């Protein structure tokens, strides 16, 4: 198998191949270059080499585009670029198997985000094994992510000094480096309190002293690591839904709305700039109400 030593060089080889073989237009070439540069930047941030990329890495990348508000049509354009690029990598002997062949297209149009019930959240946390050396950390991580509705990037960068246990809130740095106050549950604070002695007893890399959630080497967790932890716990809990770290954020917002929280308050806690972004949960809540009526209203029996 040929080694990829320079991602940019391989992308340029790919573009030259398409121009020669497919008669690629300038506009299409620019789109491919943009999409693939974005992909390799994401992989580099996750510490993943291009040749080691799996289908889960690619799905997480597309999920990150969704988190940024990128439209389904544009996500599908990225998918097209990725599929064509990885076909080229396999053709040229850079990879043995093509992870992009397993990617599914994004459905365009309105769709509701996947949500866990409160019982499924409990099952997810209950699936953490007591003999797991990182079980205490994982419980604190999930309680915090679900209890505060955090994006995965906000979770992995959460600082100890920004957790105000006495006042029961955390300061979160979101998109555009904007900070917001988010109330934190007692369950999350108890889990963090239990985790801190374990955290402090292990190695801590220079520069990570203030980061709350660390891996076994003392560095902050990656998005992919959080994704893997949650997927494994979901499998252990028997949850058949396809979930990701963002599912906990969706569940947080939905459960707040079902409990009667004001939509503006949810908007502030999620860090949404526009209320229209939060209004998707109104549609989700109505679907839940519809199902409850169909299941329990006497006129439907």
């Amino acid at each position: 198998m040929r080694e990829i030593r320079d991602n940019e060089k391989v992308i340029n080889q790919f573009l030259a191949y398409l121009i020669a073989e497919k008669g690629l237009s300038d506009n299409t070439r620019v789109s491919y270059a943009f999409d693939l540069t974005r992909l390799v930047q994401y992989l580099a941030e996750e510490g993943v080499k291009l040749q080691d990329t799996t289908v889960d890495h690619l799905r997480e990348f597309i999920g990150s585009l969704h988190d940024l508000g990128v439209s389904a049509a544009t996500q599908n354009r990225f998918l097209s670029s990725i599929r064509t690029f990885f076909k080229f990598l396999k053709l040229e002997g850079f990879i043995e198997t093509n992870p992009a062949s397993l990617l599914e297209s994004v459905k365009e149009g309105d769709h509701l985000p996947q949500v866990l019930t409160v019982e499924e959240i409990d099952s997810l946390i209950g699936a953490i094994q007591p003999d797991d050396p990182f079980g205490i950390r994982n419980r604190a991580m999930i309680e915090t992510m679900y209890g505060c509705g955090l994006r995965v990037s906000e979770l992995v960068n959460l600082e100890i000094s920004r957790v105000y246990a006495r006042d029961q809130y955390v300061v979160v740095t979101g998109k555009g480096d904007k900070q917001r106050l988010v109330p934190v549950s007692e369950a999350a604070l108890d889990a963090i309190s239990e985790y801190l002695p374990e955290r402090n007893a292990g190695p801590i890399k220079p520069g990570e002293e203030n980061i709350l959630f660390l891996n076994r080497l003392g560095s902050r967790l990656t998005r992919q690591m959080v994704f893997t932890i949650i997927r494994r716990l979901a499998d252990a809990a028997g949850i058949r839904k396809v979930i990701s770290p963002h599912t906990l954020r969706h569940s947080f917002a939905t459960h707040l709305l079902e409990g009667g929280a004001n939509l503006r308050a949810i908007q502030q806690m999620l860090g949404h700039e526009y209320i229209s972004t939060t209004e998707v949960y109104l549609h989700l809540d109505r679907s839940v109400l519809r199902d409850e009526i169909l299941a329990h209203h006497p006129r439907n029996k």
Side-chain angles (χ1 to χ4, degrees), residues 70-131:
V70 174
S71 70
T74 303
Q75 290 176 50
N76 281 325
R77 189 200 74 199
F78 272 90
L79 283 168
S80 177
S81 299
I82 290 168
R83 289 190 187 105
T84 307
F85 180 54
F86 276 89
K87 280 183 183 177
F88 167 80
L89 293 181
K90 189 172 187 298
L91 180 68
E92 293 296 312
F94 289 112
I95 56 175
E96 294 180 355
T97 58
N98 180 3
S101 64
L102 300 173
L103 286 175
E104 308 87 5
S105 295
V106 178
K107 291 183 179 180
E108 299 188 24
D110 293 336
H111 66 283
L112 299 179
Q114 189 73 270
V115 169
L116 297 178
T117 65
V118 175
E119 291 75 20
E120 286 171 330
I121 294 286
D122 290 339
S123 296
L124 194 71
I125 296 171
I128 298 171
Q129 297 299 315
D131 56 350

Side-chain angles (χ1 to χ4, degrees), residues 262-291:
N262 180 277
L263 197 63
R264 288 284 180 187
I266 298 173
Q267 177 193 7
Q268 291 176 353
M269 284 186 278
L270 291 174
H272 286 162
E273 185 173 358
Y274 303 107
I275 191 68
S276 59
T277 310
T278 314
E279 283 175 346
V280 65
Y281 297 106
L282 282 177
H283 301 293
L284 184 60
D285 190 49
R286 286 170 186 157
S287 74
V288 172
L289 291 175
R290 180 202 63 204
D291 292 342

Side-chain angles (χ1 to χ4, degrees), residues 158-164 196 199-200 209-212:
L158 186 61
E159 297 179 336
I160 297 173
S161 62
R162 295 298 194 174
V163 178
Y164 297 91
L196 280 175
R199 174 203 177 277
N200 296 336
E209 294 86 356
N210 199 25
I211 297 299
L212 179 55

Side-chain angles (χ1 to χ4, degrees), residues 58-276:
L58 297 177
R59 285 172 178 155
E60 268 289 277
F61 170 67
I62 297 300
S64 72
L65 298 179
H66 171 77
D67 293 353
L68 292 170
V70 174
S71 70
T74 303
Q75 290 176 50
N76 281 325
R77 189 200 74 199
F78 272 90
L79 283 168
S80 177
S81 299
I82 290 168
R83 289 190 187 105
T84 307
F85 180 54
F86 276 89
K87 280 183 183 177
F88 167 80
L89 293 181
K90 189 172 187 298
L91 180 68
E92 293 296 312
F94 289 112
I95 56 175
E96 294 180 355
T97 58
N98 180 3
S101 64
L102 300 173
L103 286 175
E104 308 87 5
S105 295
V106 178
K107 291 183 179 180
E108 299 188 24
D110 293 336
H111 66 283
L112 299 179
Q114 189 73 270
V115 169
L116 297 178
T117 65
V118 175
E119 291 75 20
E120 286 171 330
I121 294 286
D122 290 339
S123 296
L124 194 71
I125 296 171
I128 298 171
Q129 297 299 315
D131 56 350
D132 181 350
F134 296 104
I136 295 175
R137 179 202 64 190
N138 293 346
R139 177 172 167 264
M141 183 185 77
I142 292 173
E143 288 280 13
T144 303
M145 185 174 245
Y146 168 65
C148 298
L150 302 186
R151 300 178 178 97
V152 64
S153 59
E154 295 168 349
L155 178 85
V156 299
N157 293 310
L158 186 61
E159 297 179 336
I160 297 173
S161 62
R162 295 298 194 174
V163 178
Y164 297 91
R166 181 180 298 177
D167 298 312
Q168 293 190 310
Y169 72 87
V170 295
V171 176
V172 177
T173 302
K175 293 180 180 179
D177 288 331
K178 293 181 180 178
Q179 294 189 336
R180 67 184 189 278
L181 299 180
V182 182
V184 58
S185 67
E186 288 188 14
L189 289 173
D190 288 345
I192 291 171
S193 178
E194 185 180 2
Y195 160 63
L196 280 175
E198 294 277 340
R199 174 203 177 277
N200 296 336
I204 300 175
K205 285 196 171 181
E208 306 284 60
E209 294 86 356
N210 199 25
I211 297 299
L212 179 55
F213 296 109
L214 301 177
N215 62 23
R216 61 185 179 85
L217 299 176
S219 296
R220 71 189 70 193
L221 300 172
T222 64
R223 292 169 55 97
Q224 181 61 33
M225 178 119 186
V226 177
F227 178 89
T228 300
I229 290 168
I230 289 175
R231 288 291 296 273
R232 286 175 178 170
L233 288 175
D235 289 342
I239 297 171
R240 300 300 172 219
K241 297 174 181 176
V242 178
I243 68 171
S244 71
H246 215 66
T247 306
L248 299 182
R249 179 170 158 89
H250 287 314
S251 303
F252 161 83
T254 302
H255 297 163
L256 278 180
L257 189 61
E258 290 173 351
N262 180 277
L263 197 63
R264 288 284 180 187
I266 298 173
Q267 177 193 7
Q268 291 176 353
M269 284 186 278
L270 291 174
H272 286 162
E273 185 173 358
Y274 303 107
I275 191 68
S276 59

Side-chain angles (χ1 to χ4, degrees), residues 5-103:
R5 296 182 179 180
D6 186 329
N7 290 339
E8 185 178 354
K9 184 177 180 180
V10 171
I11 290 174
N12 287 335
Q13 289 174 357
F14 166 68
L15 296 175
Y17 162 80
L18 288 183
I19 291 170
E21 297 291 326
K22 309 288 186 182
L24 202 67
S25 70
D26 285 342
N27 286 341
T28 306
R29 180 185 60 78
V30 170
S31 293
Y32 271 114
F34 176 84
D35 295 350
L36 297 176
T37 299
R38 191 78 172 268
L39 171 65
V40 297
Q41 286 174 344
Y42 171 84
L43 293 173
E45 290 170 359
E46 296 298 312
V48 178
K49 293 181 179 179
L50 191 55
Q51 287 180 302
D52 297 332
T53 304
T54 67
V55 66
D56 281 341
H57 295 137
L58 297 177
R59 285 172 178 155
E60 268 289 277
F61 170 67
I62 297 300
S64 72
L65 298 179
H66 171 77
D67 293 353
L68 292 170
V70 174
S71 70
T74 303
Q75 290 176 50
N76 281 325
R77 189 200 74 199
F78 272 90
L79 283 168
S80 177
S81 299
I82 290 168
R83 289 190 187 105
T84 307
F85 180 54
F86 276 89
K87 280 183 183 177
F88 167 80
L89 293 181
K90 189 172 187 298
L91 180 68
E92 293 296 312
F94 289 112
I95 56 175
E96 294 180 355
T97 58
N98 180 3
S101 64
L102 300 173
L103 286 175

